[in-house]
Short mmCIF file of all heavy atoms in Angstrom, two decimals:
data_model
loop_
_atom_site.label_atom_id
_atom_site.label_comp_id
_atom_site.label_asym_id
_atom_site.label_seq_id
_atom_site.Cartn_x
_atom_site.Cartn_y
_atom_site.Cartn_z
N THR A 10 5.05 25.24 -3.38
CA THR A 10 5.46 24.84 -4.77
C THR A 10 6.47 25.80 -5.33
O THR A 10 6.45 26.15 -6.43
CB THR A 10 4.19 24.95 -5.67
OG1 THR A 10 3.56 26.23 -5.62
CG2 THR A 10 3.16 23.88 -5.25
N VAL A 13 11.84 23.99 -3.98
CA VAL A 13 11.90 22.54 -3.49
C VAL A 13 10.62 21.95 -3.76
O VAL A 13 10.53 20.75 -4.09
CB VAL A 13 12.33 22.53 -2.08
CG1 VAL A 13 12.24 21.16 -1.52
CG2 VAL A 13 13.77 23.10 -1.90
N ARG A 15 8.27 22.10 -6.15
CA ARG A 15 8.05 21.63 -7.59
C ARG A 15 8.76 20.32 -7.83
O ARG A 15 8.15 19.36 -8.28
CB ARG A 15 8.41 22.70 -8.59
CG ARG A 15 7.62 23.97 -8.53
CD ARG A 15 7.90 24.88 -9.75
NE ARG A 15 9.33 25.23 -9.78
CZ ARG A 15 9.84 26.33 -9.13
NH1 ARG A 15 9.05 27.13 -8.36
NH2 ARG A 15 11.12 26.69 -9.28
N LEU A 55 -5.28 16.78 -10.02
CA LEU A 55 -5.25 17.10 -8.61
C LEU A 55 -5.03 18.62 -8.48
O LEU A 55 -4.03 19.14 -9.05
CB LEU A 55 -4.21 16.33 -7.95
CG LEU A 55 -3.96 16.64 -6.41
CD1 LEU A 55 -5.17 16.16 -5.60
CD2 LEU A 55 -2.71 15.93 -5.84
N SER A 63 -8.04 21.07 6.18
CA SER A 63 -8.85 20.01 5.61
C SER A 63 -7.98 18.96 5.13
O SER A 63 -8.28 17.71 5.35
CB SER A 63 -9.80 20.47 4.50
OG SER A 63 -10.75 21.36 5.00
N TYR A 74 7.52 19.47 3.70
CA TYR A 74 7.27 20.90 4.05
C TYR A 74 8.33 21.69 3.22
O TYR A 74 9.48 21.79 3.61
CB TYR A 74 7.41 21.18 5.50
CG TYR A 74 6.96 22.58 5.82
CD1 TYR A 74 5.64 22.88 5.91
CD2 TYR A 74 7.82 23.61 6.08
CE1 TYR A 74 5.14 24.18 6.16
CE2 TYR A 74 7.41 24.90 6.31
CZ TYR A 74 6.08 25.19 6.37
OH TYR A 74 5.59 26.49 6.58
N ALA A 75 7.88 22.36 2.12
CA ALA A 75 8.77 23.11 1.24
C ALA A 75 8.44 24.54 1.24
O ALA A 75 9.00 25.33 0.40
CB ALA A 75 8.69 22.55 -0.23
N LYS A 94 1.10 16.99 14.86
CA LYS A 94 -0.02 16.68 15.79
C LYS A 94 -1.08 15.89 15.03
O LYS A 94 -1.71 15.03 15.59
CB LYS A 94 -0.63 17.95 16.31
CG LYS A 94 0.16 18.60 17.42
CD LYS A 94 -0.60 19.80 18.04
CE LYS A 94 0.11 20.40 19.25
NZ LYS A 94 -0.59 21.51 19.79
N ALA A 101 11.57 18.12 5.70
CA ALA A 101 11.56 19.60 5.45
C ALA A 101 13.01 20.03 5.13
O ALA A 101 13.98 19.52 5.69
CB ALA A 101 11.05 20.31 6.68
N LEU A 104 13.76 24.08 7.88
CA LEU A 104 13.58 24.18 9.29
C LEU A 104 14.92 23.90 10.04
O LEU A 104 15.05 22.91 10.76
CB LEU A 104 12.46 23.28 9.78
CG LEU A 104 11.13 23.63 9.21
CD1 LEU A 104 10.07 22.51 9.50
CD2 LEU A 104 10.61 24.99 9.67
N LEU A 114 17.90 24.49 20.88
CA LEU A 114 17.45 25.08 22.13
C LEU A 114 16.31 24.33 22.71
O LEU A 114 15.30 24.08 21.99
CB LEU A 114 17.10 26.61 21.91
CG LEU A 114 18.32 27.53 21.56
CD1 LEU A 114 17.80 28.87 21.20
CD2 LEU A 114 19.32 27.53 22.67
N TYR A 171 20.14 31.99 -7.84
CA TYR A 171 19.22 31.59 -6.84
C TYR A 171 17.93 32.33 -6.87
O TYR A 171 17.93 33.59 -6.61
CB TYR A 171 19.88 31.65 -5.45
CG TYR A 171 19.14 31.01 -4.31
CD1 TYR A 171 18.75 29.63 -4.45
CD2 TYR A 171 18.76 31.66 -3.21
CE1 TYR A 171 18.08 29.05 -3.35
CE2 TYR A 171 18.10 31.12 -2.18
CZ TYR A 171 17.76 29.77 -2.25
OH TYR A 171 17.06 29.19 -1.18
N ALA A 198 24.12 32.41 13.47
CA ALA A 198 23.30 31.92 12.36
C ALA A 198 24.07 30.84 11.66
O ALA A 198 23.60 29.75 11.32
CB ALA A 198 22.99 32.99 11.39
N ARG A 251 33.03 34.46 2.24
CA ARG A 251 33.61 33.12 2.39
C ARG A 251 33.57 32.88 3.92
O ARG A 251 34.04 33.66 4.70
CB ARG A 251 35.07 33.20 1.89
CG ARG A 251 35.76 31.83 1.98
CD ARG A 251 37.14 31.94 1.39
NE ARG A 251 37.81 30.60 1.26
CZ ARG A 251 39.02 30.46 0.59
NH1 ARG A 251 39.65 31.53 0.08
NH2 ARG A 251 39.56 29.18 0.47
N THR A 258 37.96 18.69 17.58
CA THR A 258 37.85 17.27 18.15
C THR A 258 38.95 17.08 19.09
O THR A 258 40.02 17.73 19.06
CB THR A 258 37.85 16.29 17.02
OG1 THR A 258 39.22 16.16 16.45
CG2 THR A 258 36.88 16.61 15.87
N VAL A 265 35.61 20.32 8.48
CA VAL A 265 35.46 21.67 8.07
C VAL A 265 34.36 21.81 7.05
O VAL A 265 34.27 21.05 6.11
CB VAL A 265 36.73 22.32 7.50
CG1 VAL A 265 36.61 23.81 7.15
CG2 VAL A 265 37.93 22.13 8.44
N LEU A 266 33.52 22.85 7.20
CA LEU A 266 32.45 23.19 6.20
C LEU A 266 32.75 24.63 5.69
O LEU A 266 33.04 25.45 6.51
CB LEU A 266 31.07 23.10 6.74
CG LEU A 266 29.95 23.38 5.84
CD1 LEU A 266 28.71 22.52 6.23
CD2 LEU A 266 29.58 24.81 5.73
N ASP A 274 30.70 36.72 -10.78
CA ASP A 274 31.89 35.91 -10.90
C ASP A 274 33.19 36.69 -10.86
O ASP A 274 34.26 36.11 -10.69
CB ASP A 274 31.76 35.06 -12.18
CG ASP A 274 30.83 33.80 -11.97
OD1 ASP A 274 30.64 33.49 -10.82
OD2 ASP A 274 30.36 33.31 -12.99
N CYS A 276 33.97 39.06 -8.77
CA CYS A 276 34.26 39.42 -7.39
C CYS A 276 35.10 38.36 -6.71
O CYS A 276 34.87 37.16 -6.94
CB CYS A 276 32.96 39.71 -6.64
SG CYS A 276 33.18 40.67 -5.10
N PRO A 278 38.37 37.36 -7.02
CA PRO A 278 39.00 36.47 -7.97
C PRO A 278 40.08 35.57 -7.46
O PRO A 278 40.39 34.62 -8.13
CB PRO A 278 39.60 37.45 -9.00
CG PRO A 278 39.76 38.71 -8.19
CD PRO A 278 38.65 38.78 -7.27
N PRO A 281 38.61 30.27 -4.63
CA PRO A 281 38.34 29.13 -5.54
C PRO A 281 37.09 29.34 -6.38
O PRO A 281 36.10 29.90 -5.82
CB PRO A 281 38.28 27.90 -4.60
CG PRO A 281 39.02 28.29 -3.42
CD PRO A 281 38.83 29.76 -3.26
N GLN A 287 28.90 27.63 -12.72
CA GLN A 287 28.84 28.65 -11.73
C GLN A 287 28.46 28.09 -10.36
O GLN A 287 28.13 28.92 -9.46
CB GLN A 287 27.80 29.72 -12.13
CG GLN A 287 28.26 30.52 -13.35
CD GLN A 287 27.24 31.57 -13.82
OE1 GLN A 287 26.19 31.28 -14.28
NE2 GLN A 287 27.66 32.81 -13.50
N ALA A 314 22.38 25.86 -12.14
CA ALA A 314 22.98 25.19 -11.05
C ALA A 314 22.11 25.15 -9.78
O ALA A 314 22.07 24.16 -9.12
CB ALA A 314 24.35 25.77 -10.70
N ASN A 328 12.80 10.61 -1.09
CA ASN A 328 13.24 9.27 -1.04
C ASN A 328 13.45 8.80 0.39
O ASN A 328 13.58 7.59 0.66
CB ASN A 328 14.51 9.08 -1.89
CG ASN A 328 14.27 9.26 -3.35
OD1 ASN A 328 13.18 8.88 -3.81
ND2 ASN A 328 15.25 9.68 -4.07
N VAL A 333 11.56 7.50 7.15
CA VAL A 333 11.03 8.42 8.16
C VAL A 333 9.76 7.89 8.78
O VAL A 333 9.48 7.89 9.92
CB VAL A 333 10.93 9.82 7.69
CG1 VAL A 333 10.26 10.73 8.72
CG2 VAL A 333 12.30 10.38 7.27
N ALA A 338 9.08 7.86 16.73
CA ALA A 338 8.59 9.21 16.81
C ALA A 338 9.68 10.12 17.37
O ALA A 338 10.43 9.72 18.23
CB ALA A 338 7.33 9.25 17.63
#
Side-chain angles (χ1 to χ4, degrees):
T10 57
V13 174
R15 293 188 302 271
L55 179 65
S63 294
Y74 191 78
K94 283 184 176 179
L104 299 170
L114 292 174
Y171 189 57
R251 181 178 190 174
T258 70
V265 183
L266 185 147
D274 282 339
C276 197
Q287 292 181 289
N328 291 331
V333 173

